[in-house]
Amino acid sequence: MSDHKISADGLRIECHAAQNADCRTRPGCEAEGWGEEYCIGHDPGHPVAGGHECWQLAWVNNTSLEETYDGPGAPVTIYPGRAVRIVWNGYECTWDYKRRNANA
C-alpha cells in the first residue's frame, strides 16, 4: 500500500504510512521546525520521534487538492484511491501522482 493516496471521495489526501515514517516523525512540541534529533527554537530542544499524525496532511489538505497539486497537466484530474507523492519544497508541501513503475 502507498503511504499517501487520494481519499475515496476525492476531496483530500490520506496517510497510510508506518508510525516511524518520515511524515510521522517530529518533536512532540509545537516547534516551527526540527532537525534530525531535536526541535528548533527551544532550549533544551525536544527530541524528534515517530508515532505522530502525518505533518504533511495539514499542508496539502488545508485547501483544495487542485491548489496544492504540483505535477503535469492543468487542471488536475482527481483519481480517488490513487497513490500520490508529497514533497516539501522549502516553505510548503505540494503533491503529484506517484509514478506507476518501480522507480517512482
Side-chain angles (χ1 to χ4, degrees):
M1 173 182 284
S2 177
D3 287 352
H4 297 96
K5 67 179 186 174
I6 303 291
S7 63
D9 62 11
L11 298 176
R12 66 192 170 285
I13 294 175
E14 300 173 338
C15 179
H16 299 277
Q19 291 296 309
N20 63 345
D22 287 344
C23 66
R24 293 182 182 262
T25 301
R26 62 178 178 81
C29 64
E30 294 296 321
E32 288 189 26
W34 57 89
E36 289 185 30
E37 295 184 28
Y38 296 99
C39 69
I40 298 170
H42 295 140
D43 188 23
H46 300 94
V48 172
H52 297 277
E53 292 294 318
C54 177
W55 61 266
Q56 297 174 336
L57 295 183
W59 291 90
V60 294
N61 290 335
N62 190 34
T63 183
S64 71
L65 292 180
E66 290 83 5
E67 290 185 41
T68 55
Y69 177 73
D70 189 27
V76 62
T77 301
I78 302 298
Y79 299 102
R82 188 154 166 206
V84 300
R85 179 178 69 111
I86 301 175
V87 176
W88 171 255
N89 63 21
Y91 62 97
E92 68 181 356
C93 286
T94 57
W95 70 276
D96 63 9
Y97 285 109
K98 202 169 188 181
R99 293 185 185 137
R100 295 180 184 242
N101 65 35
N103 297 323

